[in-house]
Amino acid sequence: MSTSPAGWGTDARRWLRPAYLWRRLRHNFWQKLLSLLVAVSLWAVTTADRRANVEQGYDVPITVRDSTGGAASRAVSNLTPDTVRVTLSGRPERLRELRGANIEAVLDVTGVPEGGFNRPLTVSVPSGTTLARKSPERVQGFVDTQLSRTMPVIVAVATPPEDSLPRYTVSPSQVTVSGPSQVMSSVSRLVVSPVSLGAGEAREVPLLALTTAGQPVANLNVTPTTVTLRRIDSGAFPVKAVRVVLNDPPEGLIVTASSVQPSGVRVVAAPELLGRLQEVAGRVAYRPGTYTAPVTLNLPAGAQALENVSVSLTVQRAPQ
């Protein structure tokens, strides 16, 4: 075969002729076919594991680690986000048996000063899998001083029926609440979850930390997390809700708007007295203007009201 430029052109023209191409293809055909089959088999064997792998995503909670030490305890709050989406690669049967709890996503804040931070995450994957990707790569949060204080437990129960006046005990009556200082500053009270108990019944109930506006507070540790709520009254009690009727305004004044709160007051009395009692007279001092005034109840002897009553009024002078 010629190696000169002219020879190259001759060789190229020869390969373009179908008859020559077919003759070269048939030359040692079976050896060529066997070589191709061996190459394909080797490729299939060496890449079988890689081709058998699939990917699957998991939502993994973030574990915070802090070994800074020092006199004051530290806490991390306001993690954004508080879970990370981890995608693993591996055999289908291996991935099917895994859960998010089998994967560890660690946020290390050792040495991070108090205040806001933006830190990378470290993901440890189970054996037989590899990490394909994680989202997000970094998380934000806040490092703060850990505070702890003892708080009384406030009983909050479902609205009782009109003919009962339930009484409760809670044990323990005080619990320990701890958390980041900026979170602890928003805690106003600690209450039991509202429940309805029968006379003499007791139940383990969880605790709720609330703000002054009554909103739940998260990211706190409460010890213990539950208390025993027990109803200690005997059940039915001579209680009845009756309507409050106000006195008329004096001559020369007109009431244009009136709202009594509550409109019905619960009264405790002997059963025979409650049976005759349909309404309670209330007295209020009227004056021109828009205001809220207390209502003085005129109860029969032996009866007692369980609520204070007030009225919101708008009063005008009568036209002359």
Side-chain angles (χ1 to χ4, degrees):
M1 183 179 294
S2 174
T3 59
S4 64
W8 296 344
T10 302
D11 290 342
R13 286 191 299 273
R14 184 184 304 166
W15 280 98
L16 292 176
R17 292 200 298 269
Y20 179 78
L21 183 61
W22 175 244
R23 187 167 61 252
R24 297 299 300 174
L25 180 64
R26 289 168 46 194
H27 180 68
N28 294 331
F29 174 78
W30 294 109
Q31 291 89 334
K32 292 176 181 177
L33 180 60
L34 180 62
S35 298
L36 177 61
L37 292 176
V38 170
V40 171
S41 299
L42 289 174
W43 174 84
V45 171
T46 56
T47 63
D49 286 345
R50 185 169 67 251
R51 288 183 292 106
N53 286 347
V54 296
E55 291 186 352
Q56 185 165 320
Y58 305 86
D59 290 318
V60 181
I62 296 174
T63 301
V64 178
R65 289 182 181 169
D66 187 2
S67 55
T68 304
S73 298
R74 297 174 11 130
V76 173
S77 61
N78 297 338
L79 279 185
T80 307
D82 56 3
T83 61
V84 58
R85 185 68 175 177
V86 175
T87 302
L88 300 183
S89 175
R91 294 263 188 182
E93 60 273 14
R94 175 59 172 149
L95 296 181
R96 280 195 298 268
E97 65 187 13
L98 295 178
R99 299 292 182 270
N102 303 123
I103 308 168
E104 188 177 39
V106 177
L107 171 68
D108 193 342
V109 295
T110 301
V112 174
E114 291 189 6
F117 63 80
N118 187 313
R119 301 279 293 172
L121 280 171
T122 301
V123 176
S124 300
V125 301
S127 60
T129 66
T130 57
L131 177 64
R133 56 191 172 274
K134 61 179 183 286
S135 178
E137 297 279 343
R138 305 172 70 89
V139 297
Q140 299 177 357
F142 197 90
V143 176
D144 204 354
T145 302
Q146 177 91 353
L147 297 182
S148 178
R149 73 173 186 256
T150 300
M151 298 184 63
V153 178
I154 299 174
V155 176
V157 296
T159 302
E162 293 183 357
D163 63 344
S164 67
L165 185 62
R167 292 179 293 134
Y168 301 89
T169 62
V170 61
S171 178
S173 59
Q174 293 185 326
V175 299
T176 301
V177 183
S178 60
S181 62
Q182 66 168 355
V183 178
M184 290 288 291
S185 64
S186 66
V187 178
S188 171
R189 60 191 185 277
L190 200 66
V191 304
V192 298
S193 300
V195 294
S196 180
L197 296 180
E201 185 182 356
R203 191 180 305 173
E204 251 342 89
V205 291
L207 294 169
L208 297 175
L210 302 178
T211 65
T212 53
Q215 298 300 314
V217 181
N219 300 319
L220 291 174
N221 296 318
V222 181
T223 307
T225 58
T226 63
V227 294
T228 301
L229 181 66
R230 185 182 303 276
R231 181 172 170 178
I232 60 174
D233 64 283
S234 59
F237 197 80
V239 177
K240 183 178 181 179
V242 294
R243 187 168 59 98
V244 177
V245 179
L246 298 180
N247 60 305
D248 294 329
E251 187 177 352
L253 295 180
I254 298 176
V255 176
T256 59
S258 174
S259 176
V260 179
Q261 297 295 331
S263 58
V265 62
R266 291 191 303 162
V267 177
V268 179
E272 59 275 11
L273 176 57
L274 288 180
R276 300 192 304 269
L277 194 61
Q278 301 301 321
E279 60 185 32
V280 173
R283 184 171 185 80
V284 61
Y286 293 97
R287 56 181 173 81
T290 299
Y291 54 91
T292 299
V295 176
T296 302
L297 299 177
N298 184 18
L299 292 166
Q304 182 176 350
L306 297 180
E307 294 93 11
N308 292 321
V309 181
S310 62
V311 60
S312 297
L313 292 168
T314 299
V315 181
Q316 297 178 351
R317 295 189 182 279
Q320 299 297 326

